[in-house]
Amino acid sequence: MSTLAYIKENKDKFLDELLALLRIPSVSADSKFKDKVREAAEFLKDRFEDLDTEVEICETGGHPIVYAERIIDPALPTVLIYGHYDVQPADPYELWDSPPFEPMVKDEKIFARGSADDKGQTYMHVKAYEALIKTDSLPCNVKFMIEGEEEIGSGSLAVFVAQNKEKLAADVILISDTHIISNDTPSITVGLRGLSYVEVEVTGPNRDLHSGTFGGAVGNPINTLCRMIASLQNERGEITIPRFYDKVEMLSQEYRDKMNLTPFDLNTFKNDLEINSEKGEEGYTTIERTGIRPTLDVNGIWGGYTGEGAKTVLPSKAYAKISMRLVPNQSSEEITQLFAKHFQKIAPDYVKVKVTPYHGGEATVTSTNAIGYKAAAKAMEKTWGKEPIPTREGGSIPIVALFQKELGTDSILMGFGLQEDAIHSPNESYGLFNYYRGIETISYFYQIFTKMKKDNQ
Ligand code: BES
Ligand code: MN
Ligand code: MN
């Protein structure tokens, strides 16, 4: 039987298995789900065992890593697959049309937390591998490394990678954890942004005060925090932190013009989000703003009284979580320091400021000349009948830069999700078309990559 025929014949089984994985609430950020995170790892381990594949659950200081491999001949190329089985918290639950961990197939889409990010996309790799094994068609060696901490910064994986360089040796790393332009327009992600993430605490008076007795005479930390945050961007949408742009790569007009040929409809974008107009740094298009420019966003802000009714209080403290998306050549550590220094400096005398850094990561770019890119492009061309377009995406997968640094191996970001999948949001979904198209395309990747590697020798 051909690999394609095997995939067709097993469509229902492949879907049922994914739904079972989606039923496990493997939320890495919330310790309440710790056992469930492990259960998802065990589930994957069992599926590899079903395929007589050497597999282990690697313990870490945090959530476990599932590692599996099949070495058919050390002289052949090796593909390392990376994915994550952990998911974002499903909150706010009340905004879901069906419960996030009771997957529902509706309108040709699977609705569940993690369906697109990244269980659905990771599981395509397990099933492409199954199809190749069962039809005696696996042309090269394959290693799988599936982690449970991607959504909380991949802390344990960073240690694991540094300690297991030999074990993880590969010719290419293949990852499906990104988007395509649309189901008619395939694309391969060649750029990801980096990330610098901080929490700030602003303290005013030593205790919550009566806002009548003291209001007007004592600096309110929430008012102050809002003013400080507002000052971080100017009218042109530029970030005002000194030296923030120092290392930002200035791309040629030619490169930018080419980037702007990427199919993108501003009206569809605005209608989808129900906004009257877009907003960003002046002088750049929407594609450029998310692809090649850094940003600063408040992710959450709190303090004072937010319960029912009105409580008159002048709070002692105010907080915010702030993220900065970075572009190539900016260092997340350096940007975090620049931020902290600037935030202290702009704080008025009547408040104290504390800045706590969280996880971060560096931006990456992949060359379209890499064999892995070319093989992925050919595989997509085979399933879509058109050449994919290279894109730069705004999201971050910090471990990709680390793979390059520690292992010296390039990652190919061949994702199959759509922006409308609403990853991290309520009603996250993943299309059945995307799931099956992914499985098929991945199975071709192995064959094309192995052949291109051989021809190249
Ligand atoms: N799969 C996403 C990253 C992504 C999304 C890349 C869309 C390209 C397009 C990943 O799971 C993710 O959510 N990453 C986090 C960073 C991480 C350190 C928490 C992100 O981008 O916010
Ligand atoms: Mn992801
Ligand atoms: Mn994610």
Side-chain angles (χ1 to χ4, degrees), residues 84 117 150-151 177-179 325 359 393 396 398 423-424:
H84 63 95
D117 185 14
E150 197 278 340
E151 300 291 8
D177 194 18
T178 50
H179 295 127
R325 296 282 169 172
H359 52 68
E393 287 206 76
S396 309
I423 61 172
H424 294 206

Side-chain angles (χ1 to χ4, degrees), residues 272-287:
D272 176 37
L273 303 178
E274 295 181 41
I275 50 175
N276 293 326
S277 56
E278 77 282 21
K279 167 92 180 90
E281 188 183 358
E282 262 177 48
Y284 294 92
T285 63
T286 299
I287 285 185

Side-chain angles (χ1 to χ4, degrees), residues 196-414:
S196 170
Y197 199 112
V198 296
E199 182 172 319
V200 297
E201 181 193 273
V202 175
T203 308
N206 63 356
R207 61 181 189 277
D208 284 5
L209 304 174
H210 188 287
S211 66
T213 313
F214 292 94
V218 174
N220 180 319
I222 302 184
N223 297 18
T224 308
L225 174 61
C226 290
R227 271 202 310 278
M228 289 169 72
I229 288 171
S231 79
L232 295 176
Q233 264 147 338
N234 65 20
E235 248 112 81
R236 292 177 51 82
E238 295 156 349
I239 294 152
T240 56
I241 300 169
R243 294 174 43 216
F244 184 86
Y245 290 99
D246 276 10
K247 302 207 169 142
V248 169
E249 177 186 25
M250 277 310 289
L251 291 153
S252 66
Q253 195 55 47
E254 192 192 343
Y255 185 95
R256 290 172 59 186
D257 288 347
K258 201 162 165 219
M259 231 185 126
N260 286 314
L261 294 177
T262 312
F264 174 76
D265 184 52
L266 194 52
N267 281 325
T268 313
F269 178 81
K270 291 192 288 193
N271 289 341
D272 176 37
L273 303 178
E274 295 181 41
I275 50 175
N276 293 326
S277 56
E278 77 282 21
K279 167 92 180 90
E281 188 183 358
E282 262 177 48
Y284 294 92
T285 63
T286 299
I287 285 185
E288 291 171 337
R289 285 169 178 172
T290 58
I292 57 168
R293 298 300 294 168
T295 60
L296 183 148
D297 278 290
V298 178
N299 296 248
I301 183 162
W302 70 101
Y305 183 71
T306 55
E308 198 181 324
K311 177 191 181 195
T312 50
V313 59
L314 194 164
S316 164
K317 284 177 188 291
Y319 305 84
K321 289 185 195 280
I322 298 173
S323 69
M324 288 158 279
R325 296 282 169 172
L326 312 176
V327 296
N329 300 341
Q330 282 184 299
S331 141
S332 69
E333 224 178 279
E334 197 179 324
I335 292 294
T336 301
Q337 275 169 18
L338 290 178
F339 175 93
K341 205 171 130 207
H342 180 66
F343 215 66
Q344 292 288 357
K345 203 177 134 219
I346 61 173
D349 191 46
Y350 46 81
V351 294
K352 292 180 205 73
V353 164
K354 197 170 112 193
V355 178
T356 310
Y358 282 95
H359 52 68
E362 313 309 334
T364 52
V365 251
T366 326
S367 163
T368 51
N369 290 319
I371 295 189
Y373 180 89
K374 288 184 180 162
K378 276 226 160 84
M380 281 186 145
E381 202 177 333
K382 188 163 171 174
T383 46
W384 258 281
K386 11 175 146 161
E387 215 180 297
I389 297 168
T391 58
R392 287 212 191 187
E393 287 206 76
S396 309
I397 311 179
I399 203 71
V400 171
L402 226 90
F403 287 155
Q404 182 53 50
K405 187 169 159 237
E406 296 284 347
L407 307 173
T409 315
D410 283 334
S411 296
I412 303 304
L413 301 161
M414 186 171 72

